[in-house]
Amino acid sequence: MLVSAKEMLVKAKEGKYAVGQFNINNLEWTKAILSTAQELSSPVILGVSEGAGKYMCGYKTVVGMVNGMLEELSITVPVALHLDHGTYEGALKCIEAGFSSVMFDGSHYPIAENIEKTKTLVAICNSKGLSIEAEVGAIGGEEDGVIGNGECADPEECKMIADLGVTMLAAGIGNIHGKYPANWPGLSFDTLAAVSEKVGKMPLVLHGGTGIPEDMIKKAISLGVSKINVNTECQLAFQAATRAYIEAGKDLQGKGFDPRKLLAPGTEAIKATVKEKMQLFGSVGKA
Ligand code: 13P
Protein backbone atom coordinates (compact mmCIF):
# COMPACT_ATOMS: atom_id res chain seq x y z
CA MET A 1 0.00 0.00 0.00
CA LEU A 2 1.24 3.48 -0.82
CA VAL A 3 2.08 5.64 2.19
CA SER A 4 2.47 9.35 2.78
CA ALA A 5 6.12 10.44 2.82
CA LYS A 6 5.73 12.05 6.24
CA GLU A 7 6.78 9.25 8.54
CA MET A 8 9.76 8.13 6.45
CA LEU A 9 11.05 11.72 6.24
CA VAL A 10 10.61 12.53 9.91
CA LYS A 11 12.58 9.35 10.71
CA ALA A 12 15.24 10.27 8.14
CA LYS A 13 15.66 13.74 9.61
CA GLU A 14 16.01 12.31 13.12
CA GLY A 15 18.37 9.57 11.94
CA LYS A 16 20.49 11.94 9.78
CA TYR A 17 20.04 10.16 6.47
CA ALA A 18 18.00 10.97 3.35
CA VAL A 19 15.31 9.10 1.43
CA GLY A 20 15.80 9.12 -2.34
CA GLN A 21 13.11 10.35 -4.70
CA PHE A 22 13.66 8.64 -8.03
CA ASN A 23 11.57 9.81 -10.96
CA ILE A 24 9.74 7.24 -13.05
CA ASN A 25 9.01 7.28 -16.77
CA ASN A 26 7.64 3.85 -17.55
CA LEU A 27 7.11 0.32 -16.26
CA GLU A 28 10.80 -0.68 -16.41
CA TRP A 29 11.88 2.37 -14.41
CA THR A 30 9.25 1.75 -11.76
CA LYS A 31 10.02 -1.96 -11.44
CA ALA A 32 13.78 -1.27 -11.20
CA ILE A 33 13.35 1.29 -8.41
CA LEU A 34 10.81 -0.69 -6.39
CA SER A 35 12.76 -3.95 -6.56
CA THR A 36 15.99 -2.20 -5.55
CA ALA A 37 14.29 -0.52 -2.57
CA GLN A 38 12.93 -3.89 -1.48
CA GLU A 39 16.30 -5.63 -1.94
CA LEU A 40 18.04 -2.96 0.17
CA SER A 41 15.24 -2.61 2.67
CA SER A 42 15.06 1.12 2.01
CA PRO A 43 12.09 3.47 2.02
CA VAL A 44 11.62 5.16 -1.36
CA ILE A 45 9.70 7.94 -3.06
CA LEU A 46 8.63 7.55 -6.70
CA GLY A 47 8.57 10.98 -8.37
CA VAL A 48 6.29 11.71 -11.33
CA SER A 49 6.62 14.96 -13.25
CA GLU A 50 3.54 16.26 -15.02
CA GLY A 51 5.25 15.48 -18.35
CA ALA A 52 6.03 11.89 -17.32
CA GLY A 53 2.47 11.52 -16.00
CA LYS A 54 1.11 12.50 -19.43
CA TYR A 55 3.58 10.16 -21.15
CA MET A 56 2.37 7.26 -19.01
CA CYS A 57 -1.25 7.99 -20.14
CA GLY A 58 -2.26 9.97 -17.06
CA TYR A 59 -2.18 9.85 -13.27
CA LYS A 60 -4.75 7.07 -12.91
CA THR A 61 -2.64 4.76 -15.06
CA VAL A 62 0.40 5.59 -12.91
CA VAL A 63 -1.49 4.84 -9.69
CA GLY A 64 -2.84 1.58 -11.13
CA MET A 65 0.61 0.47 -12.31
CA VAL A 66 2.34 1.29 -9.02
CA ASN A 67 -0.35 -0.28 -6.84
CA GLY A 68 -0.30 -3.40 -9.00
CA MET A 69 3.47 -3.67 -8.66
CA LEU A 70 3.42 -3.20 -4.90
CA GLU A 71 1.20 -6.24 -4.68
CA GLU A 72 2.68 -8.45 -7.40
CA LEU A 73 6.32 -7.75 -6.51
CA SER A 74 5.47 -8.21 -2.80
CA ILE A 75 6.92 -4.82 -1.89
CA THR A 76 6.83 -4.30 1.88
CA VAL A 77 9.14 -1.25 2.27
CA PRO A 78 7.43 2.16 2.61
CA VAL A 79 6.72 3.64 -0.84
CA ALA A 80 5.27 7.09 -1.53
CA LEU A 81 3.98 8.09 -4.97
CA HIS A 82 4.74 11.77 -5.33
CA LEU A 83 3.92 14.44 -7.91
CA ASP A 84 7.16 16.27 -8.76
CA HIS A 85 6.98 20.04 -9.40
CA GLY A 86 3.21 20.05 -9.68
CA THR A 87 1.02 22.94 -10.73
CA TYR A 88 -1.95 23.70 -8.50
CA GLU A 89 -4.31 21.93 -10.93
CA GLY A 90 -1.91 19.01 -11.36
CA ALA A 91 -1.73 18.52 -7.60
CA LEU A 92 -5.54 18.39 -7.38
CA LYS A 93 -5.65 15.79 -10.17
CA CYS A 94 -3.01 13.59 -8.49
CA ILE A 95 -4.83 13.76 -5.15
CA GLU A 96 -7.99 12.65 -6.93
CA ALA A 97 -6.18 9.86 -8.80
CA GLY A 98 -4.72 8.29 -5.63
CA PHE A 99 -1.17 9.67 -5.25
CA SER A 100 0.03 9.54 -1.64
CA SER A 101 2.10 12.72 -1.87
CA VAL A 102 2.29 15.89 -3.98
CA MET A 103 4.67 18.73 -4.55
CA PHE A 104 3.16 22.10 -5.30
CA ASP A 105 5.79 24.23 -6.95
CA GLY A 106 4.60 27.77 -6.41
CA SER A 107 8.14 29.16 -6.44
CA HIS A 108 7.47 31.24 -9.56
CA TYR A 109 4.48 33.01 -7.98
CA PRO A 110 4.86 36.10 -5.78
CA ILE A 111 5.25 34.82 -2.18
CA ALA A 112 1.70 35.87 -1.18
CA GLU A 113 0.18 33.79 -3.98
CA ASN A 114 2.53 30.85 -3.27
CA ILE A 115 1.30 30.99 0.35
CA GLU A 116 -2.41 31.16 -0.57
CA LYS A 117 -2.26 28.21 -2.98
CA THR A 118 -0.02 26.14 -0.71
CA LYS A 119 -2.40 26.76 2.21
CA THR A 120 -5.40 25.40 0.29
CA LEU A 121 -3.49 22.29 -0.79
CA VAL A 122 -2.14 21.70 2.74
CA ALA A 123 -5.73 21.62 4.05
CA ILE A 124 -6.78 19.10 1.40
CA CYS A 125 -3.70 16.89 1.91
CA ASN A 126 -4.08 16.96 5.70
CA SER A 127 -7.70 15.89 5.47
CA LYS A 128 -6.67 12.88 3.34
CA GLY A 129 -3.46 11.95 5.19
CA LEU A 130 -1.21 12.82 2.22
CA SER A 131 2.18 14.50 2.35
CA ILE A 132 2.84 17.80 0.61
CA GLU A 133 6.09 19.45 -0.49
CA ALA A 134 6.39 23.16 -1.20
CA GLU A 135 9.20 25.07 -2.90
CA VAL A 136 10.80 28.41 -2.14
CA GLY A 137 13.51 29.87 -4.40
CA ALA A 138 13.59 28.43 -7.92
CA ILE A 139 15.83 25.42 -8.58
CA GLY A 140 18.09 26.04 -11.58
CA GLY A 141 18.17 24.15 -14.87
CA GLU A 142 15.25 22.83 -16.87
CA GLU A 143 12.07 21.45 -15.31
CA ASP A 144 9.57 20.33 -17.94
CA GLY A 145 10.67 23.10 -20.30
CA VAL A 146 10.90 25.89 -17.69
CA ILE A 147 14.43 27.19 -17.10
CA GLY A 148 15.17 28.34 -13.53
CA ASN A 149 18.19 30.35 -12.35
CA GLY A 150 19.17 28.35 -9.27
CA GLU A 151 18.46 31.19 -6.88
CA CYS A 152 18.92 30.79 -3.14
CA ALA A 153 15.79 30.81 -1.00
CA ASP A 154 15.07 33.54 1.54
CA PRO A 155 15.07 31.82 4.98
CA GLU A 156 12.23 34.09 6.20
CA GLU A 157 10.05 33.04 3.25
CA CYS A 158 10.94 29.40 3.97
CA LYS A 159 9.67 29.84 7.50
CA MET A 160 6.42 31.39 6.26
CA ILE A 161 5.79 28.42 3.96
CA ALA A 162 6.92 25.83 6.54
CA ASP A 163 4.49 27.34 9.08
CA LEU A 164 1.60 26.55 6.73
CA GLY A 165 2.00 22.92 7.76
CA VAL A 166 3.68 21.44 4.68
CA THR A 167 5.35 18.05 5.21
CA MET A 168 8.64 18.90 3.56
CA LEU A 169 10.24 21.96 2.04
CA ALA A 170 12.42 22.33 -1.06
CA ALA A 171 14.59 25.40 -0.59
CA GLY A 172 16.79 26.58 -3.46
CA ILE A 173 20.44 26.51 -2.34
CA GLY A 174 22.14 26.92 -5.72
CA ASN A 175 21.11 23.43 -6.86
CA ILE A 176 20.30 22.77 -10.51
CA HIS A 177 18.35 20.10 -12.37
CA GLY A 178 20.24 18.17 -15.04
CA LYS A 179 24.01 18.37 -15.47
CA TYR A 180 25.93 20.97 -13.45
CA PRO A 181 27.99 23.41 -15.53
CA ALA A 182 31.80 23.32 -15.11
CA ASN A 183 31.76 26.73 -13.39
CA TRP A 184 29.03 25.81 -10.86
CA PRO A 185 30.00 27.37 -7.51
CA GLY A 186 28.57 24.48 -5.44
CA LEU A 187 25.74 24.34 -2.92
CA SER A 188 25.25 27.34 -0.66
CA PHE A 189 25.64 25.77 2.79
CA ASP A 190 25.21 29.21 4.41
CA THR A 191 21.70 29.36 2.92
CA LEU A 192 20.98 25.77 3.94
CA ALA A 193 22.15 26.37 7.53
CA ALA A 194 20.07 29.57 7.78
CA VAL A 195 16.96 27.83 6.38
CA SER A 196 17.49 24.84 8.68
CA GLU A 197 17.69 27.08 11.70
CA LYS A 198 14.44 28.85 10.76
CA VAL A 199 12.36 25.75 9.99
CA GLY A 200 13.53 23.49 12.85
CA LYS A 201 12.36 19.89 12.44
CA MET A 202 10.86 20.30 8.97
CA PRO A 203 12.48 17.81 6.55
CA LEU A 204 14.29 19.67 3.76
CA VAL A 205 14.42 18.51 0.16
CA LEU A 206 17.41 18.73 -2.17
CA HIS A 207 16.44 18.77 -5.83
CA GLY A 208 18.94 18.29 -8.65
CA GLY A 209 20.62 15.30 -6.97
CA THR A 210 22.50 14.34 -10.16
CA GLY A 211 26.16 15.33 -10.19
CA ILE A 212 26.48 16.82 -6.70
CA PRO A 213 29.81 15.66 -5.22
CA GLU A 214 29.47 13.07 -2.45
CA ASP A 215 30.98 15.29 0.26
CA MET A 216 28.39 18.01 -0.50
CA ILE A 217 25.57 15.44 -0.33
CA LYS A 218 26.78 14.29 3.08
CA LYS A 219 27.14 17.84 4.36
CA ALA A 220 23.65 18.71 3.10
CA ILE A 221 22.22 15.71 4.99
CA SER A 222 24.06 16.76 8.14
CA LEU A 223 22.40 20.21 7.81
CA GLY A 224 18.83 18.86 7.63
CA VAL A 225 18.25 17.56 4.10
CA SER A 226 16.22 14.35 4.36
CA LYS A 227 14.91 13.86 0.82
CA ILE A 228 17.09 13.97 -2.28
CA ASN A 229 15.68 13.93 -5.81
CA VAL A 230 17.43 12.04 -8.60
CA ASN A 231 16.24 11.92 -12.18
CA THR A 232 18.91 12.76 -14.76
CA GLU A 233 21.41 10.22 -13.42
CA CYS A 234 18.99 7.33 -14.01
CA GLN A 235 18.28 8.65 -17.50
CA LEU A 236 21.98 8.89 -18.33
CA ALA A 237 22.62 5.38 -16.99
CA PHE A 238 19.70 4.00 -19.00
CA GLN A 239 20.88 5.75 -22.16
CA ALA A 240 24.49 4.58 -21.84
CA ALA A 241 23.56 0.94 -21.21
CA THR A 242 21.05 0.87 -24.07
CA ARG A 243 23.57 2.50 -26.43
CA ALA A 244 26.26 -0.03 -25.46
CA TYR A 245 23.85 -2.92 -26.14
CA ILE A 246 23.02 -1.58 -29.60
CA GLU A 247 26.57 -0.56 -30.49
CA ALA A 248 27.75 -4.08 -29.59
CA GLY A 249 25.22 -5.32 -32.15
CA LYS A 250 23.38 -7.39 -29.56
CA ASP A 251 20.04 -6.29 -30.97
CA LEU A 252 21.07 -8.02 -34.19
CA GLN A 253 21.82 -11.36 -32.55
CA GLY A 254 19.24 -14.03 -31.75
CA LYS A 255 16.13 -12.32 -30.35
CA GLY A 256 18.08 -9.25 -29.18
CA PHE A 257 15.39 -7.09 -30.81
CA ASP A 258 12.81 -8.39 -28.31
CA PRO A 259 11.85 -5.24 -26.35
CA ARG A 260 12.25 -7.15 -23.09
CA LYS A 261 15.85 -7.92 -24.01
CA LEU A 262 16.49 -4.50 -25.52
CA LEU A 263 15.37 -2.71 -22.35
CA ALA A 264 17.06 -5.09 -19.90
CA PRO A 265 20.56 -3.51 -19.81
CA GLY A 266 19.09 -0.03 -19.23
CA THR A 267 16.85 -1.38 -16.50
CA GLU A 268 19.83 -3.04 -14.78
CA ALA A 269 21.74 0.26 -15.05
CA ILE A 270 18.90 2.07 -13.27
CA LYS A 271 18.98 -0.52 -10.49
CA ALA A 272 22.72 0.00 -10.04
CA THR A 273 22.30 3.80 -9.94
CA VAL A 274 19.48 3.61 -7.39
CA LYS A 275 21.51 1.22 -5.24
CA GLU A 276 24.53 3.52 -5.28
CA LYS A 277 22.38 6.51 -4.30
CA MET A 278 20.57 4.69 -1.50
CA GLN A 279 23.95 3.68 -0.07
CA LEU A 280 25.24 7.26 -0.32
CA PHE A 281 22.08 8.75 1.21
CA GLY A 282 22.21 6.24 4.09
CA SER A 283 18.67 4.87 3.66
CA VAL A 284 19.69 1.20 3.28
CA GLY A 285 18.14 -0.98 6.00
CA LYS A 286 15.96 1.91 7.24
CA ALA A 287 12.62 0.50 6.02
P1 13P B 1 18.19 15.79 -11.49
O1 13P B 1 17.48 15.75 -12.81
O2 13P B 1 19.29 16.77 -11.47
O3 13P B 1 18.60 14.44 -11.06
O4 13P B 1 17.13 16.35 -10.44
C1 13P B 1 15.93 15.67 -10.24
C2 13P B 1 14.94 16.50 -9.50
O5 13P B 1 15.27 17.35 -8.71
C3 13P B 1 13.52 16.23 -9.76
O6 13P B 1 12.70 17.12 -9.08
Side-chain angles (χ1 to χ4, degrees):
M1 205 184 76
L2 288 169
V3 296
S4 138
K6 185 174 177 122
E7 195 183 321
M8 64 173 93
L9 293 180
V10 167
K11 276 193 194 162
K13 177 115 182 178
E14 278 170 12
K16 294 237 178 255
Y17 60 92
V19 177
Q21 173 193 304
F22 300 95
N23 284 43
I24 59 171
N25 291 284
N26 59 18
L27 180 141
E28 283 74 17
W29 236 267
T30 314
K31 191 174 163 188
I33 296 163
L34 288 178
S35 52
T36 306
Q38 184 68 25
E39 184 197 322
L40 300 182
S41 197
S42 168
V44 73
I45 298 169
L46 300 176
V48 179
S49 68
E50 295 202 350
K54 270 196 204 116
Y55 175 79
M56 290 184 275
C57 301
Y59 301 126
K60 287 184 188 160
T61 303
V62 176
V63 170
M65 174 179 73
V66 173
N67 276 330
M69 274 192 206
L70 293 183
E71 186 184 329
E72 293 180 334
L73 295 174
S74 305
I75 303 293
T76 54
V77 296
V79 177
L81 180 60
H82 179 74
L83 172 66
D84 189 27
H85 291 286
T87 56
Y88 184 78
E89 294 73 23
L92 291 175
K93 279 190 193 154
C94 285
I95 293 168
E96 174 79 28
F99 275 51
S100 64
S101 188
V102 292
M103 172 184 190
F104 167 57
D105 181 356
S107 60
H108 49 285
Y109 290 116
I111 187 71
E113 195 170 353
N114 190 356
I115 287 177
E116 258 337 285
K117 291 192 156 73
T118 303
K119 213 195 252 177
T120 311
L121 289 171
V122 165
I124 299 172
C125 287
N126 279 348
S127 74
K128 293 177 181 283
L130 311 177
S131 42
I132 175 164
E133 175 179 340
E135 178 173 327
V136 181
I139 318 278
E142 191 181 325
E143 282 166 12
D144 268 349
V146 181
I147 312 273
N149 291 324
E151 68 189 61
C152 285
D154 173 351
E156 287 297 338
E157 290 188 359
C158 289
K159 174 142 178 59
M160 280 193 260
I161 297 275
D163 286 349
L164 299 177
V166 298
T167 318
M168 61 275 207
L169 184 74
I173 55 167
N175 40 332
I176 296 175
H177 288 114
K179 291 182 178 175
Y180 284 85
N183 61 353
W184 178 55
L187 295 176
S188 167
F189 290 111
D190 288 349
T191 306
L192 179 55
V195 170
S196 240
E197 206 209 304
K198 286 274 172 209
V199 304
K201 287 189 170 167
M202 165 83 42
L204 296 174
V205 183
L206 181 62
H207 282 247
T210 297
I212 299 177
E214 286 193 17
D215 58 333
M216 286 195 200
I217 292 277
K218 288 188 175 150
K219 187 161 180 191
I221 294 173
S222 77
L223 289 170
V225 163
S226 29
K227 170 175 178 279
I228 303 179
N229 294 5
V230 178
N231 179 29
T232 305
E233 202 153 331
C234 288
Q235 296 188 347
L236 292 170
F238 183 85
Q239 180 206 34
T242 309
R243 182 184 289 274
Y245 181 82
I246 292 172
E247 283 181 352
K250 294 196 179 152
D251 57 320
L252 302 173
Q253 297 161 16
K255 285 201 98 190
F257 56 86
D258 176 342
R260 284 176 260 167
K261 289 204 163 60
L262 196 56
L263 294 172
T267 307
E268 288 305 313
I270 293 171
K271 281 190 194 165
T273 305
V274 170
K275 187 171 184 174
E276 192 185 295
K277 294 294 162 194
M278 286 178 167
Q279 285 165 343
L280 173 64
F281 301 164
S283 68
V284 174
K286 298 294 196 315

